[in-house]
Amino acid sequence: MSMSIEECATPRPPKPTPPTPENVFDQLSMKDRVVCITGASDGIGWAVAEAMAEAGANLALWYNTNDAAKSKGAQLASKHGITVKAYQVEVSDPSRVQQAVGEVAKDFGRLDVFVANAGMAISKPILEQTVDEYRKQMSVNVDGVFFCAKYAGEVFKQQGRGNLIITSSMSAHIVNVPVDQPVYNATKAAVTHLGKSLAREWRDFARVNIVSPGFFQTKMGASPLCENEGHRMAVLGRQGHVREIKGLYLYLASDASSFQTGSDVLIDGGYTLP
């Protein structure tokens, strides 16, 4: 609703500035914080886990079918002197998500950051995609993020603090070529707007930001049919390496981004510029 000059002039005392450390490296420290990451066994999720561990965070690693999070998490714990625990969670199952969020909060005594990263793609034109394939993508990419946000958000509100980071995609911004994938694109557009809406809804107790990666060298990176176009479209002329995204998630998870909420950060090598 628009306001008059007089209405805009009504004094609104500002909220207090958080006690963000002066030193930027101290701002980026995650020491003793608890970070939960879905889809943590591989790809971007694992890179995020490495970043948080390197910054001192304790980790709750969620996986569905790839239980590498167990052994890899143990290695992180040993290397960095942190606590790491792996949980088998199907994010499209709301009762299991609710249960697992409760387990994490109980096991670690708190939940500071939740990274809703798990996702999947069935890259087909809509006329070739089955209804079951559509529902599967919606259940993981949209329902899964919603369930994680809902139940992590309940903990955040109870604590009076929290930080949600959603992994979306540049596909929320563009129509991918040369392979048509309208359902996947739509799922990512949905969670991007969900995240922005939650940033407003949770303004009194939590920050919410979205990361929208382009093509990275992971199992969900550019397929053989898309690889050449991916190299051509990206201003940097290549796919990203997962080590090139670690710092972004760390920044958003840490006090360094204490004034940032509701943002959708593209990290795509310039793919969406043209």
Side-chain angles (χ1 to χ4, degrees):
M1 182 177 68
S2 61
M3 300 177 69
S4 68
I5 293 175
E6 291 75 17
E7 289 171 329
C8 290
T10 301
R12 289 174 176 79
K15 294 181 179 180
T17 301
T20 305
E22 292 285 343
N23 184 283
V24 71
F25 292 106
D26 291 338
Q27 291 178 12
L28 290 165
S29 173
M30 296 294 291
K31 184 173 174 57
D32 297 328
R33 297 190 187 180
V34 177
V35 180
C36 183
I37 306 163
T38 70
S41 291
D42 200 3
I44 289 175
W46 175 246
V48 174
E50 288 184 311
M52 302 302 167
E54 289 159 3
N58 298 313
L59 302 178
L61 304 180
W62 286 16
Y63 67 93
N64 183 24
T65 58
N66 183 0
D67 66 359
K70 295 179 180 179
S71 58
K72 293 166 77 172
Q75 293 171 12
L76 280 184
S78 176
K79 181 177 181 180
H80 299 288
I82 60 173
T83 301
V84 181
K85 187 169 182 179
Y87 302 77
Q88 196 282 324
V89 184
E90 169 53 71
V91 296
S92 63
D93 179 351
S95 61
R96 177 56 185 141
V97 171
Q98 182 180 27
Q99 178 187 42
V101 168
E103 290 172 358
V104 171
K106 181 179 179 181
D107 292 344
F108 289 88
R110 58 195 285 184
L111 176 58
D112 297 295
V113 182
F114 195 103
V115 182
N117 171 76
M120 64 167 298
I122 303 175
S123 297
K124 293 180 180 180
I126 195 169
L127 298 182
E128 297 176 14
Q129 190 141 100
T130 68
V131 172
D132 285 343
E133 288 172 333
Y134 159 79
R135 287 176 173 157
K136 179 62 175 176
Q137 289 177 90
M138 293 295 292
S139 70
V140 174
N141 294 357
V142 180
D143 295 349
V145 172
F146 171 83
F147 299 146
C148 290
K150 176 175 173 57
Y151 297 116
E154 289 179 353
V155 175
F156 292 162
K157 186 174 183 179
Q158 184 178 33
Q159 294 176 158
R161 67 185 189 282
N163 187 339
L164 174 67
I165 303 171
I166 296 171
T167 300
S168 183
S169 172
M170 70 174 181
S171 299
H173 296 257
I174 61 172
V175 175
N176 292 64
V177 295
V179 173
D180 293 310
Q181 51 181 45
V183 174
Y184 176 79
N185 297 350
T187 66
K188 291 304 183 179
V191 296
T192 292
H193 204 58
L194 173 65
K196 292 180 179 181
S197 301
L198 290 177
R200 195 268 175 195
E201 179 182 326
W202 295 357
R203 60 195 180 279
D204 292 329
F205 59 87
R207 294 191 295 117
V208 183
N209 290 287
I210 304 103
V211 176
S212 289
F215 287 130
F216 277 78
Q217 297 170 23
T218 69
K219 293 175 182 177
M220 287 189 65
S223 68
L225 294 175
C226 297
E227 193 170 24
N228 286 337
E229 186 68 3
H231 296 164
R232 184 187 74 82
M233 285 288 291
V235 171
L236 297 183
R238 60 181 176 85
Q239 295 189 73
H241 191 284
V242 289
R243 64 172 173 263
E244 297 178 287
I245 203 169
K246 292 167 65 173
L248 175 55
Y249 279 89
L250 175 58
Y251 164 73
L252 292 174
S254 72
D255 288 340
S257 62
S258 57
F259 193 58
Q260 187 158 355
T261 194
S263 69
D264 175 17
V265 185
L266 277 160
I267 178 166
D268 63 358
Y271 190 104
T272 58
L273 285 175

